[in-house]
């Protein structure tokens, strides 16, 4: 390049690069401006330097995790800055310890579970869970079935800090044999009475078009969102890039379902 001359195309690309913010830059600027703070004021609050905050917002440097934690606390971001920093540096908003379903469940504060055909596993009564496992694992011994049923039906009791919103077809209960239908309806009503579980039934005659497979949205205690779907070969933990689309499917499912009060009325009719 000749001294003093700038290729217009190169200049345009450079300007675009400056305009594209990383998830961390975007979150840092957003929360600072929402708090009504200047960069210098944020630096004072977070015990960092003005020059560092300026570099982090311009994208010419990335802070260490300890500094991100200080910024998150100073801005009251409740873990959102940390998640944005992880997306920028690691490509995922979830920490290492929350990249399997069991770890996600342990730290979750709320679960929205959408199932297109059945009652969510966490809310299946023992009799229905046993029937499901017997159909899916015809060679399982009575001991294996008992163990699997206990693991499934006791899990929600082992997660006392997690509330649940569940969306599933009314036919998932109404279509069961009479003895199983009554047991499952009573079980769901008992969980609803605890205040931890909100039930939304998709009315009979309506079709839940999305999601196509069971979908679970976990809101973690850190403020992070984890999205997990259930398939024949096991659970899939989705990357952040899918969250908006899958959250939209949850919204669509809720829109197709009955309010809690009407859902409970339908379950009472089945007892």
């Amino acid at each position: 390049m000749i001294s003093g001359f700038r290729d217009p195309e190169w200049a345009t690309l450079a300007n675009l690069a400056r305009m594209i913010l990383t998830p961390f830059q975007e979150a840092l600027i957003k929360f600072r401006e929402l708090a009504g703070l200047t960069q210098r004021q944020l630096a004072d609050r977070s015990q960092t330097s003005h020059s560092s905050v300026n570099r982090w917002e311009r994208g010419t440097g990335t802070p260490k995790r300890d500094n991100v934690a200080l910024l998150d606390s100073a801005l009251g971001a409740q873990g959102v800055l940390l998640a944005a920093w992880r997306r920028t540096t690691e490509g995922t908003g979830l920490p290492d310890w929350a990249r399997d379903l069991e770890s996600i469940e342990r730290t979750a504060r709320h679960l929205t579970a959408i199932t297109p055909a059945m009652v969510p596993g966490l809310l299946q009564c023992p009799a229905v869970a046993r029937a499901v496992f017997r159909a899916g694992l015809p060679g399982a011994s009575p001991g294996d079935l008992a163990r699997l049923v206990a693991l499934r039906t006791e899990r929600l009791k082992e997660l006392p800090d997690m509330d649940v919103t569940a969306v599933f077809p009314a036919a998932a209960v109404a279509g069961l044999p009479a003895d199983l239908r009554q047991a499952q309806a009573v079980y769901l009503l008992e969980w609803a009475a605890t205040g931890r579980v909100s039930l939304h039934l998709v009315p009979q005659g309506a079709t839940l078009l999305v999601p196509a497979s069971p979908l679970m949205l976990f809101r973690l205690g850190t403020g992070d969102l984890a999205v997990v779907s259930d398939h024949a070969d096991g659970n899939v933990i989705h990357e952040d890039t899918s969250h908006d689309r899958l959250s939209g499917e949850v919204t669509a499912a809720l829109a197709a379902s009955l309010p809690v009060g009407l859902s409970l009325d339908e379950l009472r009719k089945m007892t």
Side-chain angles (χ1 to χ4, degrees):
M1 180 182 295
I2 300 174
S3 178
F5 173 78
R6 297 189 70 184
D7 183 340
E9 182 177 355
W10 181 91
T12 300
L13 290 174
N15 288 333
L16 284 174
R18 281 193 291 270
M19 292 170 60
I20 298 172
L21 302 179
T22 67
F24 176 73
Q25 283 177 272
E26 187 174 4
L28 178 59
I29 294 169
K30 172 185 173 182
F31 276 92
R32 179 179 62 77
E33 290 180 346
L34 285 173
L37 299 176
T38 65
Q39 291 181 349
R40 190 176 300 280
Q41 288 170 329
L42 174 58
D44 291 340
R45 279 197 185 188
S46 61
Q47 302 173 39
T48 55
S49 69
H50 176 216
S51 60
S52 293
V53 172
N54 182 268
R55 282 190 297 107
W56 297 334
E57 288 197 0
R58 287 188 291 113
T60 56
T62 304
K64 294 181 179 179
R65 189 193 184 285
D66 290 349
N67 284 329
V68 179
L70 290 171
L71 292 167
D72 192 277
S73 177
L75 292 171
Q78 298 183 334
V80 175
L81 268 185
L82 281 164
W85 175 79
R86 282 193 293 267
R87 284 196 295 274
T88 298
T89 58
E90 303 171 20
T92 175
L94 294 176
D96 290 339
W97 53 264
R99 293 178 190 172
D100 65 82
L101 181 57
E102 183 179 7
S103 297
I104 289 171
E105 286 180 338
R106 283 200 304 269
T107 188
R109 294 297 173 264
H110 189 268
L111 162 65
T112 301
I114 316 291
T115 50
M118 298 178 63
V119 175
L122 284 172
L123 294 173
Q124 289 175 6
C125 70
V128 168
R130 186 175 297 105
V132 170
F133 284 124
R134 187 182 292 119
L137 301 168
S141 68
D144 287 338
L145 285 175
R147 179 176 56 82
L148 290 170
V149 168
L151 285 172
R152 173 164 290 186
T153 57
E154 295 295 320
R155 186 59 177 159
L156 192 52
K157 296 176 185 176
E158 296 169 356
L159 301 167
D161 296 327
M162 185 178 75
D163 295 334
V164 177
T165 296
V167 182
F168 55 93
V173 181
L176 294 169
D179 57 337
L180 294 182
R181 178 173 66 243
Q182 182 175 16
Q184 183 64 76
V186 169
Y187 191 78
L188 289 168
L189 289 169
E190 289 174 347
W191 267 115
T194 67
R196 288 185 57 197
V197 175
S198 298
L199 301 171
H200 295 267
L201 302 189
V202 179
Q204 297 190 61
T207 301
L208 193 59
L209 296 176
V210 291
S213 61
L215 184 65
M216 296 173 286
L217 271 71
F218 294 90
R219 178 62 63 183
L220 310 186
T222 59
D224 298 323
L225 178 67
V227 182
V228 182
S229 58
D230 191 10
H231 298 275
D233 293 331
N235 300 115
V236 175
I237 299 174
H238 294 273
E239 295 295 333
D240 294 6
T241 51
S242 302
H243 286 187
D244 286 346
R245 174 177 60 82
L246 296 173
S247 294
E249 293 188 3
V250 169
T251 300
L254 282 166
S257 64
L258 296 171
V260 170
L262 293 179
S263 297
L264 297 180
D265 288 342
E266 288 299 310
L267 287 171
R268 292 187 187 101
K269 296 175 186 177
M270 302 179 200
T271 61

